[in-house]
Each structure stands twice: as C-alpha cells, then as structure tokens.
Amino acid sequence: MDLQHWLGRAEDAIQQWADGFGPYERHPSLLVDDDRFAAAFEEFTGRLTDNYPFFHPHYAGQMLKPPHPAAVIGYLTAMLINPNNHALDGGPATARMEREAVAQLAAMFGYDTHLGHLTTSGTIANLEALFVARELHPGRGIAYSADAHYTHGRMCRVLGMEGYAVPADDRGRLDLDALEDLLRSDRVGTVVLTAGTTGLGAVDPVHEALPLKERYGVRLHVDAAYGGFFTLLAGAEGPEGLAPEPWRAIARCDSVVVDPHKHGLQPYGCGAVLFRDPEVGRFYLHDSPYTYFTSTELHLGEISLECSRAGASAAALWLTFQLLPPTPDGLGRVLGAGRRAALRWSELISASDALELYQEPELDIVTYFPAVEPAALTSVDAASARVLADGMADPEPVYLSTLKADREAFTARHPKVTADADGARVLRSVLMKPESEHHVARLHDRVERLTRAQPA
Ligand SMILES: *Cc1c(COP(=O)(O)O)cnc(C)c1O
C-alpha cells in the first residue's frame, strides 16, 4: 500500500463529500501560511526522531509497533470529519462501523450474544467490566492473579472495591487452589482471568476456572487485552498452534477485554470490552442533557462509561478488518509468525551456553537472562541491565526490555540460582511483528555477542 497515494485519495474523497454542502469561507483567525507551517513542521519532525525504531525487527523490546497502513488511512480519513462515537448523531457511519467491528470481535471469541463497544484503552475497558461486576455483586471484591495487570488493583480502589491478588504458579498462571481458598471466604464476587499476561504472556487456566461460577456464584472476567487475538491460533496446525481449552472457554465467561491497539494493528486509543449478557446495558443508563436522541437505535454512549471517543478509531479498525479480519486466515497469520519467532528464539536460547531461558514462551514473549557465573540474582540482574544498555548503545543497535522477577518467582523456575536479593531483572522480548520470524537468528547472535562481551 502506497501511503502517499492513499492519503491523497483520502483527502479527495472527503473534499468531494464536503463540496456537496456548498462553498464557505474559512475564518482568517485559523489561517496559517506555508512558510510558518514549514518552520514548525521542521522542528516537529526533528523532535519526533527522538524515538526507538518500533517498526524495525531489531526492536525486540516492549509491546510497541506502528499500525497497519490500512488503519492509518482509515483513521486519518475519518479524522478529517472527526466523528464522535459517543452518540449516533456524533457520526452515524463510524458508530455503525464500531458495531460491526465489535461484532467481529465477539464472533472471534465465540460469543453468541454480546453487548460491547470500543474504549480508549484496555485499562478503561477493564474498568467498565469491573464496574458492571460491582453493580451485580455489591459489597463483594475482585480476585486477580499476582501477575495480572497492575491496573486491576488500581481500578478496585477507584471503584471502592476490595481487590485480592492471588499467587501465580511457576509458569506465571493464576493458582486455582489458592483462588478457591479465597473464594470459600465468600468475599469475592468476580474473578479476573488473564489470557496473556503483560510480562510473560502466561495464559490463566480459564477452562479450569469455569466450574467456579456455579460453585461460588462468581462472575468470570477475562482480561485478554494483550492475548485476545491469540484465540485465532487455538487448535491451529503447525508449531504456532495453541492448546484450545482456555481460549474456547472465554465464550462461557461473562466479559472479556481485548486491545486492538496491541495485536489488532491499530494506533493507540483502541481497546474493547464485551459482555455476554446484553442486559448489563441497564447499568449505564444516564440522562445527560447534552445527549441527542434522534433515533431509537442504541447509542454507544448509552453503554459506555466514557463520553467522547474518536470515531476515527472505529473507522481504522473497521477498514483494517475488511482486509485482515480477526479470523485464522486473516490476523491469525500475523500472530502465527510472531509465535513461531518466539518458539524459534527460545530453541536458540536453550541451545546457547551464554543465555538461559527464564521460562518457555506461551505466546510471543520471550524471557531470558545471561548465564553468569556464579549464578546469583545480583549478578543476573547486573548482566541483564548491562546487555539492555549495551544493546541500545551499539553501533548496530538491538532493543530489548527487562522484566523484574521477584525472588520467589525466579527461584521457582531456577532453583540453582542463589537468591541473594529480592529479585532480578531478566531480559524480555515481545516479538509482535511478523517480520521477527525472519530476524530471530540475527537477534539471537547479537544478544549472545553482547552477553559474552566483557563489561566495560
Ligand atoms: C496492556 C494491558 C492492559 C492495559 O491496557 P492499556 O490499553 O495499556 O490501558 C491490561 N491488561 C493486560 C493484560 C494488558 O496487557
């Protein structure tokens, strides 16, 4: 896709639409001449160079990559109109696009009924799910794994609910026995299961948690902000295929959150929350004097905690899904490549005497650390930090990230490492670009070389 061409077409298309409303004069207060703009633009683009190359396969650090060109064109084209998906009157076209894209997400998870909408982020999407949880179980708290996203604890405080962190097992998954001990106390109304933790990409045993719904009368919410699109690899053939059970079980949970701005090729500002029971819409009822009601169709603003939201976000997602739908043959191929990259790299690390795998990757996140002698948390921590810094400073840079593993988590996986500190940083690479598949051998060589180099 030639961005220049399609950006030109975008402007033409919107101008043609605008021309249908007749000519008018722009107010002089808004006029900016090209020379002044050129100067500002030069400074602006200069400043933007202070960035990491998220697009490049040698960037193998955090969860960052540019959106797909289809999303960029979709966003910018709709932004020329700037619809507000708060209400149908704020932009009927993008409101419908949102409903269609959300229905595709619901179908991806196997929801036979749903009520859902886009949000500006996974954090807000989870907040909505926890808000509904509170309305349905007033006075009861929320349980989530110790490895769950940190915002669950924060949002419990926002909502005035008790949050309970349940220990994770030695693969970073919520420990169901510990959860059941807690549920017996009757203090919990909703359990958050994470399908793809942010740190390790660990998938909580959603299928094994299903019976808890009946047994303890709890709601189950799945935080699949990061991992949700991996459901497209559930039961897939080939090395990238995932054990289907936890993914299929999402369809039987009460709500799920997924971030199209993580693995859905979207720019930031695109999360989504889905409820299986459309009846929960009643908790959102409001009576705003600003809201316009020109139609009996459901307003997205009626089922959202947020008011204004970019219609452009829905446009970008809708247009992307026309080309790369959330199906195994569409987006599934993109995720499969990253997953194969993670598996390949973990094999190379296992075979290396310079590096050690922190744990087997479940999705596309690889965690590893320099095999230092003598093996102790302080030396692992120092070596990881050094490789991270040296990688970025190298003339041929490689970008990684670090993850803080606490003492218990580390020694559960590596009992021979001396626990001489509270924890240690390990190296972490999120291989969320399909291009990574063809670059892991080179990435591995670089990181091995950095690890072997003597500290300066
Ligand atoms: C990223 C993430 C979040 C938070 O989502 P934002 O879009 O960054 O607000 C919540 N949960 C999990 C599992 C995540 O990976």
Side-chain angles (χ1 to χ4, degrees):
M1 280 180 67
D2 176 1
L3 208 54
Q4 265 181 11
H5 169 78
W6 289 107
L7 285 176
R9 289 285 298 273
E11 205 194 354
D12 291 347
I14 301 304
Q15 193 58 51
Q16 203 173 24
W17 169 77
D19 287 348
F21 299 92
Y24 72 103
E25 223 172 288
R26 299 283 287 183
H27 193 273
S29 64
L30 294 172
L31 297 182
V32 170
D33 71 48
D34 265 339
D35 288 344
R36 273 184 59 215
F37 186 74
F41 190 72
E42 196 173 347
E43 185 186 346
F44 168 67
T45 50
R47 283 195 175 206
L48 282 182
T49 60
D50 179 17
N51 254 312
Y52 300 103
F54 308 126
F55 67 93
H56 200 284
H58 292 158
Y59 182 88
Q62 309 277 8
M63 293 169 174
L64 288 154
K65 66 174 178 181
H68 191 275
V72 174
I73 305 288
Y75 200 101
L76 291 175
T77 310
M79 194 179 68
L80 292 172
I81 300 171
N82 202 23
N84 184 340
N85 272 21
H86 160 58
L88 275 177
D89 314 50
T94 48
R96 291 198 182 99
M97 288 179 193
E98 174 164 343
R99 303 242 305 261
E100 289 173 34
V102 166
Q104 285 176 284
L105 292 173
M108 174 177 84
F109 289 117
Y111 270 29
D112 40 13
T113 57
H114 74 276
L115 179 78
H117 59 89
L118 301 180
T119 60
T120 51
S121 69
T123 302
I124 297 296
N126 279 314
L127 171 65
E128 300 219 4
L130 299 191
F131 161 70
V132 167
R134 187 191 71 182
E135 299 303 287
L136 283 164
H137 289 306
R140 288 163 80 191
I142 306 279
Y144 41 80
S145 133
D147 274 14
H149 200 268
Y150 70 93
T151 50
H152 291 289
R154 176 186 288 176
M155 289 311 171
C156 282
R157 284 174 60 202
V158 170
L159 290 165
M161 305 171 85
E162 206 63 56
Y164 301 93
V166 177
D169 68 12
D170 60 6
R171 297 286 306 273
R173 297 171 296 204
L174 181 136
D175 181 333
L176 283 181
D177 291 333
L179 175 64
E180 258 198 281
D181 285 344
L182 172 64
L183 294 185
R184 274 190 275 271
S185 73
D186 223 26
R187 282 176 296 176
V188 171
T190 297
V191 175
V192 176
L193 300 156
T194 306
T197 58
T198 317
L200 299 166
V203 181
D204 284 347
V206 183
H207 53 302
E208 290 170 13
L210 285 178
L212 303 176
K213 270 166 71 82
E214 296 265 299
R215 202 173 301 153
Y216 299 99
V218 290
R219 283 175 70 78
L220 296 180
H221 168 62
V222 181
D223 179 2
Y226 184 70
F229 288 98
F230 279 94
T231 199
L232 300 171
L233 300 181
E237 281 177 29
E240 68 271 30
L242 298 173
E245 295 81 7
W247 305 101
R248 302 266 149 82
I250 293 175
R252 294 168 60 198
C253 294
D254 298 290
S255 51
V256 60
V257 157
V258 61
D259 261 354
H261 69 204
K262 280 186 182 143
H263 256 303
L265 307 174
Q266 299 306 298
Y268 284 114
C270 195
V273 60
L274 302 169
F275 297 94
R276 202 176 54 167
D277 177 9
E279 281 290 302
V280 301
R282 69 185 185 278
F283 297 121
Y284 289 94
L285 280 182
H286 62 80
D287 193 12
S288 151
Y290 312 107
T291 309
Y292 353 61
F293 292 99
T294 55
S295 127
T296 51
E297 268 186 89
L298 184 69
H299 286 244
L300 294 164
E302 285 180 299
I303 54 158
S304 168
L305 286 183
E306 295 175 272
C307 183
S308 297
R309 283 184 303 109
S313 222
L317 186 62
W318 185 90
L319 188 56
T320 307
F321 278 0
Q322 298 304 298
L323 304 140
L324 293 160
T327 57
D329 293 338
L331 263 178
R333 291 178 53 220
V334 180
L335 279 101
R339 168 92 183 114
R340 287 192 298 273
L343 288 172
R344 178 76 195 116
W345 197 358
S346 67
E347 281 166 15
L348 293 170
I349 291 169
S350 297
S352 161
D353 53 12
L355 293 166
E356 202 161 326
L357 211 51
Y358 178 66
Q359 75 169 48
E360 289 288 335
E362 268 190 74
L363 302 179
D364 59 357
I365 302 174
V366 188
T367 47
Y368 49 98
F369 57 93
V372 284
E373 288 291 342
L377 290 180
T378 43
S379 46
V380 167
D381 183 78
S384 296
R386 184 182 63 77
V387 170
L388 175 80
D390 289 358
M392 290 194 280
D394 201 82
E396 272 185 90
V398 50
Y399 301 87
L400 313 170
S401 71
T402 53
L403 173 77
K404 182 79 191 269
D406 68 29
R407 177 213 302 257
E408 291 70 29
F410 200 111
T411 52
R413 291 159 175 85
H414 302 280
K416 288 193 187 133
V417 173
T418 308
D420 61 346
D422 288 346
R425 280 168 289 181
V426 298
L427 294 163
R428 167 173 168 272
S429 288
V430 181
L431 302 177
M432 69 188 316
K433 295 183 288 281
E435 289 82 5
S436 300
E437 187 172 15
H438 305 302
H439 282 263
V440 278
R442 259 181 284 173
L443 272 173
H444 178 73
D445 284 350
R446 292 262 182 95
V447 177
E448 253 196 341
R449 198 150 33 83
L450 288 162
T451 305
R452 290 212 168 93
Q454 287 307 308

